[in-house]
Amino acid sequence: NTASASGATTCGGVVTAANNGTSVALSGGTVPASGSCTVTVNTTSATPGTYNNTIAAGALTTANAGDNAASAGATLTVNAGLGVAKAFAPSVMGVNAASVLTITLTNPNAIAVTGAAFTDTYPAGLVNTAAAGAATTCGGAPTVTAANNGGSVALAGATVPAGGSCTVTVNVTSAAAGSYNNSTGAVSTA
């Protein structure tokens, strides 16, 4: 369960789901005649993988209808986070020359990751060129934002293919000599 498991039910009764716990329980619930009700709880995992959750036959007990005759199960897949790499080409240039900044997003998962987004704010003195030319090879309906002469590049709404990668590129420059260490902010996904 998450740190705020928030167990809830439409069955009435009491839901027990401890924060950061590993179970959920219902007691005193009532299922309407010829109807259904639900029990929900927020869950999470810090470890990528596939989680099969099953209620065994006989685990659901009632006061007047017997136990469940068949098991029920659901599968949750927890994806690993995207990898991020950055490079400048060329990595050494003269004042007011241009370099192409390439940000590569890598997906280690067996399914495409959707809604990939980040904002990369450059260190002081590094800016997009007057013709930033920002572009992406990411799928979906991505939006790349990099204002001409601006100090950042952003990506939103991108899809990174299963077991693959995609890139964001932008032309950058600097009017001052020096080393510019650029770190991308967190990459979020939908």
Side-chain angles (χ1 to χ4, degrees):
N1 300 337
T2 63
S4 56
S6 301
T9 183
T10 62
C11 305
V14 176
V15 174
T16 303
N19 293 342
N20 299 313
T22 58
S23 65
V24 59
L26 172 68
S27 61
T30 300
V31 180
S34 299
S36 63
C37 63
T38 60
V39 175
T40 59
V41 64
N42 297 325
T43 60
T44 189
S45 174
T47 306
T50 299
Y51 296 88
N52 298 309
N53 181 256
T54 303
I55 296 176
L60 173 63
T61 60
T62 67
N64 63 349
D67 302 343
N68 61 310
S71 63
T75 301
L76 174 67
T77 300
V78 177
N79 287 327
L82 297 177
V84 182
K86 299 177 78 169
F88 291 97
S91 60
V92 177
M93 65 180 198
V95 171
N96 293 319
S99 179
V100 176
L101 168 61
T102 300
I103 301 169
T104 303
L105 305 179
T106 303
N107 179 4
N109 302 295
I111 64 169
V113 171
T114 60
F118 67 80
T119 298
D120 181 13
T121 302
Y122 309 146
L126 183 67
V127 296
N128 297 327
T129 63
T136 185
T137 63
C138 297
T143 302
V144 181
T145 305
N148 294 340
N149 302 308
S152 66
V153 60
L155 175 70
T159 297
V160 184
S165 63
C166 62
T167 61
V168 173
T169 55
V170 61
N171 301 317
V172 296
T173 190
S174 178
S179 293
Y180 297 93
N181 297 314
N182 179 230
S183 299
T184 303
V187 175
S188 63
T189 59

